[in-house]
Amino acid sequence: MTGVASISPERLWSRLMELGRDGALPEKGVNRQALSAEEILSWRRIIAWGAEAGLKPSTDPAGNLFLTLEAKFPHLSPVVTGSHVDSQPTGGLFDGVFGTLAALEAVTAIAEAGMIPDRPITVVAWMNEEGSRFAPGMMGSELFAGKRTMDEIMVVKDAAGISVAEALAAVHAAFPDIEHRPLGFPVHAYIEPHIEQSDVLERAGAVIGVVSGIQGKKTYEIIISGREAHAGTEPMERRQDALQAFVRMALRMQQDMAIDDVVKFTIGRLEIQPNAPSVVPSSAVFRIDLRHPDNAVLDRLGLRLEAIVTEEAHPCSFHIKRLVDAPSNTFDEGLQSAIRHSAGRHGYSALDLLSAAGHDARQMAPLAPSAMIFIPCRAGLSHHPDEWAEPEHVAAGAAVLLDLLLEQTGLSQKYGDAS
Amino acid sequence: MTGVASISPERLWSRLMELGRDGALPEKGVNRQALSAEEILSWRRIIAWGAEAGLKPSTDPAGNLFLTLEAKFPHLSPVVTGSHVDSQPTGGLFDGVFGTLAALEAVTAIAEAGMIPDRPITVVAWMNEEGSRFAPGMMGSELFAGKRTMDEIMVVKDAAGISVAEALAAVHAAFPDIEHRPLGFPVHAYIEPHIEQSDVLERAGAVIGVVSGIQGKKTYEIIISGREAHAGTEPMERRQDALQAFVRMALRMQQDMAIDDVVKFTIGRLEIQPNAPSVVPSSAVFRIDLRHPDNAVLDRLGLRLEAIVTEEAHPCSFHIKRLVDAPSNTFDEGLQSAIRHSAGRHGYSALDLLSAAGHDARQMAPLAPSAMIFIPCRAGLSHHPDEWAEPEHVAAGAAVLLDLLLEQTGLSQKYGDAS
């Protein structure tokens, strides 16, 4: 006997709060870096919750975590749904975790109803979406999608000199009993719920965001090399001060990037050497994060940034590393329409919008019909301990996801409305 | 029987090289931070070398190291000579160490000649001259001179959260058998040999610098507080980006400080938080090092810097901490003259010059007649692993110091010249 699948808002909320303990910061928020001990703790919780619903855990060479609900036709390609559980150093309780746990909740609801989907449903937590410990972000989904190679990623090191390969070995060693599958597999559809990380939904009073696409993004690492010298004796005109070269670049970039009200330009990371009060800095290494929904504009601004580095570096030398170059993309129209209809059935007001933030769904879109379901994020504040989503919005996002999973796996259920 | 005191250039040079092993960097240069394990190693060497010459080691509550040659009249105030042995994170083999070991060599020469000075001669290695681990620098000499209090200094912490009190306790624990004397004592005269750290002597082809004074210096710590936010979603006009506020300040400072060819303006240290590539920085903390020989100009530039912080911080908030405010000083005319005469006797060309770098001698000048003997520094490069002084200049500096010590302690010896 199969019943009607429905999510448990209370269970989903309590799990969200519980996961916030892994890497909890002293006051609030979390620091749960990719492939860290804190992320291992979160994997344990998620695998245990999945086991309660009969989901089978597996991982791959990229360190992605999968939990699969078996199907009537187990060899059909799965519907994949989820997000990530790593956070920024001062992250909140919802970014990534909401999508992962909403996916787990929706699949759990199907399993608890005794329903058997036509094709498998796989909950995913992608490796290193944030890119704050190991750069760039989206490593797990990019490896899955073949956008980067294992050779290229495994040698990336964190600030402490630990490589992705070493950190990944530690994670895999912590889970000796779960299945290791090869990298990449055919996907029937991909659906990622996420908090909006901006305040478009909140301002519009909408509950569900139907994401049309993700704005383009370029990231760079710029290395400026000067010459260290004594701050009290080296004449100003002879200095090769790497920090002052940075300052000249950063000010012109800030001015030249301010072309409209949708561009986003950020220098979030900067390290100078030797970083001593009375030594002229010999090097400055910084990261640029540039986003714009219009690919032509994004490309033009990227060229402008590179020109500024070239023009302002003197008398220092420089090196420009292009880390990410992701154009804007468009999500599947059919899935967008399904999200809109599900929201309507539940009485949630929905709004079409573009994602300003990057997400793993960007990598999945070329592989399979893909979509994102946004819920509001208080004041648009994300990557911050104060990040917040309302319990009723969390439940709404999971309920819409459940509808989509049922439709995608031949389980569409009757609704109590008049249609 | 007493002979003629003369320094050993070979011994002095080999000890300079040997001390370079404590905190040696992989390729060249040293990282020997104040009160570190590496500095403890250097203390061990210096105390052992002093013991060979009969010098008695002692320390004080400030963590200064003293080695004293006893005198005919042991209760007369000593002539104090030396410098420091701590280094910048990427320091060289000569800054500080040359002065300390030249002093040890000169005193050793006196002891080996069987001479007994009228008054004690005390070799000193001051605690934390550099100020790179614990800020500000010159802690040991400032405490000795009563310019700062123990309460104020002991709570200062390094980047790892270790306080001066804790680091000092570790150093003192490593030397349980040396005498602990109270802080401060009367000083008859103070003479500090040092590499020039600029290239005035080298350009002039001079060997001995007769230092007329030390240029004034102000240092600040500026704290900018903004608000962290998601780099992909937070609209530019709503941001409180602490790094961009820093950039605006730093560029205007660089422009406004460029008033003449003797001013020195440096931002050597900068830390941003959370320092993650896709997070708008919430804080930037930086250090300013400003020097000028004219005290009125220095004061005016200091006010200008503070005004720039105030004008450019918006929409961030700021806090200005004044760390060091040291006006230019003038060294003792009699000792300057003695240096000039000694150089002449040896046939070393001498040049009067102002020190652009700060030194512990600045603190001693108000306490007793004080002087500094400079030797050339290759290409003026200091605070750098490539820092270099020629062996013959090292020997010349120590020989001149020996003459001054003999004169100050009633031991003037006959010279082989025609005078």
Side-chain angles (χ1 to χ4, degrees), chain B residues 4-9 106 109 207-208 337-350 373 375 392-407 412-419:
Chain B
V4 172
S6 61
I7 63 133
S8 162
V207 171
I208 294 294
S337 173
I339 295 168
R340 223 174 276 121
H341 287 136
S342 167
R345 280 198 298 270
H346 288 283
Y348 306 140
S349 69
I373 302 165
I375 62 168
E392 62 270 28
H393 297 160
V394 165
V400 170
L401 174 64
L402 174 58
D403 285 351
L404 266 75
L405 295 181
L406 293 170
E407 286 172 23
S412 300
Q413 56 193 2
K414 296 205 169 60
Y415 294 94
D417 61 7
S419 68

Side-chain angles (χ1 to χ4, degrees), chain A residues 195-356:
Chain A
I195 57 166
E196 185 200 342
Q197 304 184 280
S198 186
D199 61 358
V200 175
L201 292 176
E202 185 181 74
R203 288 180 176 219
V207 172
I208 295 294
V210 183
V211 184
S212 56
I214 294 178
Q215 72 175 339
K217 169 179 173 176
K218 288 179 191 281
T219 68
Y220 300 87
E221 183 173 84
I222 311 292
I223 299 166
I224 308 173
S225 301
R227 190 171 61 92
E228 75 186 60
H230 190 297
T233 61
E234 184 78 349
M236 300 301 286
E237 74 274 13
R238 268 199 263 158
R239 295 186 179 193
Q240 298 173 18
D241 185 327
L243 181 61
Q244 288 298 339
F246 161 78
V247 164
R248 291 190 300 274
M249 291 175 194
L251 193 77
R252 278 196 56 200
M253 288 174 178
Q254 181 79 358
Q255 290 164 344
D256 288 13
M257 294 301 110
I259 53 157
D260 60 27
D261 58 0
V262 294
V263 66
K264 308 287 187 309
F265 164 75
T266 308
I267 298 173
R269 189 172 173 88
L270 168 67
E271 299 279 358
I272 66 171
Q273 292 297 335
N275 208 24
S278 56
V279 183
V280 176
S282 58
S283 89
V285 179
F286 67 102
R287 292 282 184 76
I288 297 170
D289 180 310
L290 176 68
R291 311 195 197 197
H292 199 279
D294 182 327
N295 288 325
V297 174
L298 185 64
D299 285 343
R300 181 160 58 76
L301 292 179
L303 292 175
R304 189 83 209 91
L305 284 180
E306 297 188 29
I308 291 171
V309 173
T310 307
E311 289 159 20
E312 299 292 349
H314 182 80
C316 298
S317 58
F318 65 92
H319 179 64
I320 298 173
K321 283 191 199 170
R322 296 179 195 91
L323 298 177
V324 168
D325 187 0
S328 294
N329 76 318
T330 304
F331 287 125
D332 184 72
E333 297 285 352
L335 290 172
Q336 287 188 52
S337 173
I339 295 168
R340 223 173 276 121
H341 287 136
S342 166
R345 280 198 297 269
H346 288 282
Y348 306 140
S349 67
L351 190 73
D352 289 10
L353 82 181
L354 186 79
S355 175

